[in-house]
């Protein structure tokens, strides 16, 4: 089945620095990728949707200048948390979807990245 | 307002026992309903997906049911194993033409299942 790889699985960074998280679809072309944030004991909250080659669409309340998303190829999307602060500490998860009508049109999630800002 | 409510919030059972998790939704228009298993510190893994016309779907020891009239779904786990300890998330999709947005996926808060020896 479809596999989505997310790296790193854990990262600790200092306040004020930037962190990049990668999301790769390993065996299919992901025309659309999604980024979520999940706080303890809470649901996944959609942050943004990105289509390959175009600008990401951010959900209300998500700062696009703080959470930079790049989807330059059909197999890779990156989320960069800029000038991270302790309140950005969370579990970040990506998911990927293949083209309409393809076997990979469903939503496949990455394994998540635990970000801790100290 | 589109919502997905899951119950119970948490559940503890003994290894080998069966259990049933509930999901009620008020999502319209409805496209499909998915159950995911999320281990602690990991991303969700799909267990089942059901469309409007399907009322049951099995995946090994997991059996999901859907009643589109009452807008209820359940996930039944048979002969539980220690590895079943995880959060189980019900996710409802509100339409079929995604048009590039996943904003139509509505997530429940999950049921945290603990299987004890």
């Amino acid at each position: 089945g479809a596999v989505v790889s997310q790296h790193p699985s854990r990262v600790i960074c200092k306040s004020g620095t930037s962190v990049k998280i990668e999301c790769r679809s390993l065996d299919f072309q992901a025309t659309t990728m999604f980024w979520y944030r999940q706080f303890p004991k809470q649901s996944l909250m959609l942050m943004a949707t990105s289509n390959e080659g175009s600008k990401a669409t951010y959900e209300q309340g998500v700062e696009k200048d703080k959470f930079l998303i790049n989807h330059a190829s059909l197999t890779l999307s990156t989320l960069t948390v800029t000038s991270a602060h302790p309140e950005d500490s969370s579990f970040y998860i990506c998911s990927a979807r293949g083209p309409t009508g393809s076997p990979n049109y469903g939503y496949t999630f990455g394994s998540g990245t635990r970000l801790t800002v100290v | 307002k589109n919502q997905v409510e899951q119950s119970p919030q948490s559940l503890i059972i003994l290894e080998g026992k069966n259990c049933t998790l509930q999901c009620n939704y008020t999502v319209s228009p409805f496209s499909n309903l998915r159950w995911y298993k999320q281990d602690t510190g990991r991303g969700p893994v799909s267990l089942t997906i059901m469309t409007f016309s399907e009322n049951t779907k099995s995946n090994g020891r997991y059996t999901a049911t859907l009643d589109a009239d009452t807008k209820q779904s359940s996930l039944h786990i048979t002969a539980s194993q220690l590895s079943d300890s995880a959060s189980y998330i019900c996710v409802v999709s509100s339409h079929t033409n995604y048009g590039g947005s996943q904003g139509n996926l509505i997530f429940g808060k999950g049921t945290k299942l603990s299987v004890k020896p």
Side-chain angles (χ1 to χ4, degrees):
Chain A
V3 177
V4 173
S5 174
Q6 188 173 339
H7 291 282
S9 58
R10 292 176 181 269
V11 58
I12 300 173
C13 70
K14 291 184 178 181
S15 186
T17 62
S18 296
V19 174
K20 180 183 285 188
I21 302 170
E22 291 189 348
C23 180
R24 294 180 183 272
S25 57
L26 297 186
D27 50 2
F28 68 100
Q29 293 184 329
T31 50
T32 309
M33 286 191 174
F34 311 89
W35 288 95
Y36 294 85
R37 183 166 49 183
Q38 185 178 32
F39 292 105
K41 299 183 181 181
Q42 297 296 314
S43 310
L44 279 71
M45 298 294 294
L46 180 66
M47 298 175 66
T49 302
S50 72
N51 291 300
E52 183 265 338
S54 54
K55 290 184 178 180
T57 301
Y58 290 81
E59 295 299 302
Q60 190 174 9
V62 178
E63 300 175 57
K64 63 180 181 180
D65 293 330
K66 181 169 185 63
F67 299 100
L68 300 179
I69 292 171
N70 184 282
H71 191 172
S73 78
L74 284 171
T75 58
L76 174 65
S77 176
T78 60
L79 168 67
T80 301
V81 183
T82 62
S83 186
H85 289 97
E87 56 265 30
D88 298 324
S89 298
S90 187
F91 192 56
Y92 292 86
I93 307 173
C94 70
S95 76
R97 190 179 74 202
T100 304
S102 73
N104 297 307
Y105 189 60
Y107 300 92
T108 303
F109 288 86
S111 54
T113 297
R114 171 70 61 193
L115 170 63
T116 303
V117 184
V118 298
Chain B
K1 181 181 178 182
N2 287 334
Q3 285 186 317
V4 175
E5 301 285 344
Q6 290 188 244
S7 62
Q9 186 176 9
S10 62
L11 181 62
I12 301 174
I13 62 173
L14 292 177
E15 185 179 12
K17 297 296 185 181
N18 303 336
C19 67
T20 300
L21 314 180
Q22 300 292 339
C23 173
N24 297 336
Y25 61 93
T26 57
V27 177
S28 182
F30 173 88
S31 176
N32 57 66
L33 184 146
R34 308 158 188 259
W35 282 95
Y36 286 89
K37 177 186 178 186
Q38 185 178 20
D39 292 311
T40 301
R42 307 289 292 177
V45 174
S46 180
L47 295 176
T48 63
I49 176 172
M50 289 181 291
T51 59
F52 183 89
S53 59
E54 298 173 293
N55 54 27
T56 187
K57 181 113 8 135
S58 292
N59 178 0
R61 294 179 297 101
Y62 301 103
T63 299
T65 66
L66 173 66
D67 186 333
D69 291 331
T70 62
K71 298 187 177 180
Q72 296 179 324
S73 176
S74 66
L75 180 69
H76 187 73
I77 304 175
T78 304
S80 61
Q81 300 176 358
L82 298 179
S83 59
D84 292 333
S85 295
S87 286
Y88 291 84
I89 305 172
C90 176
V91 183
V92 179
S93 176
S94 68
H95 60 77
T96 56
N97 182 9
Y98 299 105
S101 170
Q102 199 175 19
N104 55 299
L105 282 191
I106 297 94
F107 288 78
K109 290 188 176 181
T111 292
K112 185 174 176 60
L113 175 65
S114 297
V115 181
K116 303 294 186 183

